[in-house]
Amino acid sequence: MNILICDDEPLGRERLSRLVVEAGHHVVAQAPNGLDALAKVSEFHPDVLLLDVRMPEMDGIQCAEALTGLQNPPAVIFVTASDQHAIEAFQKQAIGYLLKPVNRDDLSAALNRASRLNAAQVNQLRAANHGDSSTRQHITARTHRGMELIPLDSIYYFLADQKYVTVRHAGGEVLIDETLKELEAEFGDRFIRVHRNALLAIPFLEGIEMVATGQYQVRFRGIDERLAVSRRHLPQLKDKMHML
C-alpha cells in the first residue's frame, strides 16, 4: 500500500518511514502538519495516512475531520505520544491508534487492518473501476496481504483454471474471480485470446514458435514462460504479430 506519514518531528517521520518499508509498504510522502497532509493527500492519493495528533497549524484531529469530506479519503491511523485523544480519534473514523514509540508488530497489524476492505468498499472500488471500462488501469485482487491493485501495464497474461483466473504480472501471480470473457470484453484492445483459457498482453508478445507438428506456443518479453496457442486462435495471433 501507499502510505503518507504526517508528524511534526522529523526523526519521528523517519522512524515511521523505516518501519513502513520494513513492513513491505511504500511511503509516498511525508508532511509536518495536518494542513500539509491534506495537500499531499490530494497530490499523492495514499491508501493510508499515519497521522500524529498534536501538531502546529493543524492538528491530527482537525485533519481527520477535514478528510471525512473527501469522496475517497485514505484510511487513518493515529500515531501519538498520548492516549487521551483515543475516543475522539475513533469518532473521526480512524482504524487504528498507535502510541509512540510505535511497535513494529502493532504497526504491521494496523496496516493489515487498513488493507482489508469491507464489502461496501470493495463494491465501490469495483464500480469505480468498471464505470468507464476504457479507463480502468488496475486489476483488483484479494491476497494474504489484503486488497491489492495490479497495474494493467504490468500484466503478462490471464490464465483461467476452473473458477479462478491467474494474473501473471511483473511482481508475481495473484488470483481473481473475474472471468476471461469479462476481461476480454473490457481489455480486448490490449489483450488477445490465444487459447480458450488464456489472454495474452499484446505489448509483451515477443514471438510464436512451433513445438510439434501443428502445435505452437508464444514467447514473452521479460519472462521465460511459454503458453500454448490453440489452432483456432493461431491465425488471429499471427495477424496481430505481423502488425507489431
Side-chain angles (χ1 to χ4, degrees):
M1 293 186 297
N2 292 327
I3 314 295
L4 170 62
I5 296 173
C6 180
D7 193 313
D8 62 329
E9 300 177 355
L11 291 179
R13 294 197 300 269
E14 290 305 316
R15 183 175 186 276
L16 275 177
S17 179
R18 186 169 62 253
L19 292 177
V20 166
V21 172
E22 290 176 357
H25 302 283
H26 179 60
V27 178
V28 293
Q30 298 182 12
N33 57 64
L35 198 59
D36 191 44
L38 291 177
K40 285 186 166 61
V41 165
S42 297
E43 180 179 358
F44 294 98
H45 306 288
D47 302 305
V48 178
L49 171 59
L50 295 179
L51 185 61
D52 192 11
V53 174
R54 300 184 64 179
M55 295 179 293
E57 297 190 49
M58 176 184 282
D59 64 30
I61 299 297
Q62 293 170 324
C63 178
E65 187 172 28
L67 287 172
T68 61
L70 299 181
Q71 183 175 2
N72 295 298
V76 174
I77 299 174
F78 282 98
V79 181
T80 182
S82 172
D83 63 359
Q84 64 176 327
H85 299 288
I87 294 178
E88 189 175 6
F90 284 107
Q91 288 176 340
K92 304 304 180 186
Q93 299 181 341
I95 64 163
Y97 193 97
L98 302 175
L99 291 177
K100 298 179 180 179
V102 175
N103 177 278
R104 180 182 289 103
D105 293 337
D106 290 342
L107 176 62
S108 294
L111 291 176
N112 285 338
R113 286 196 301 273
S115 70
R116 292 195 292 270
L117 304 182
N118 61 37
Q121 290 171 312
V122 171
N123 290 334
Q124 183 182 37
L125 181 58
R126 287 190 182 279
N129 278 341
H130 287 86
D132 182 352
S133 62
S134 66
T135 61
R136 183 157 67 133
Q137 297 301 312
H138 296 81
I139 294 295
T140 307
R142 184 181 293 276
T143 72
H144 67 280
R145 291 182 292 271
M147 296 299 296
E148 293 188 35
L149 294 179
I150 311 301
L152 196 66
D153 60 9
S154 75
I155 297 173
Y156 295 104
Y157 60 79
F158 297 107
L159 186 65
D161 181 14
Q162 296 181 354
K163 64 180 295 187
Y164 293 105
V165 169
T166 296
V167 181
R168 176 64 167 97
H169 61 99
E173 295 182 354
V174 295
L175 295 178
I176 60 175
D177 58 5
E178 298 185 59
T179 68
L180 284 187
K181 183 177 180 180
E182 293 169 340
L183 293 167
E184 185 177 24
E186 185 174 359
F187 304 121
D189 60 334
R190 184 179 178 86
F191 291 82
I192 183 171
R193 188 181 288 265
V194 296
H195 198 279
R196 63 179 177 80
N197 70 343
L199 290 174
L200 308 185
I202 297 171
F204 289 116
L205 291 180
E206 184 176 70
I208 308 170
E209 57 190 26
M210 180 181 291
V211 292
T213 303
Q215 296 181 4
Y216 292 83
Q217 63 183 15
V218 65
R219 300 191 310 273
F220 295 90
R221 297 186 181 92
I223 56 175
D224 294 329
E225 298 171 32
R226 305 285 193 272
L227 286 183
V229 179
S230 70
R231 293 183 180 181
R232 175 185 175 186
H233 296 97
L234 182 61
Q236 181 185 11
L237 181 59
K238 286 183 174 180
D239 289 342
K240 180 63 67 173
M241 290 295 300
H242 289 152
M243 296 170 58
L244 298 178

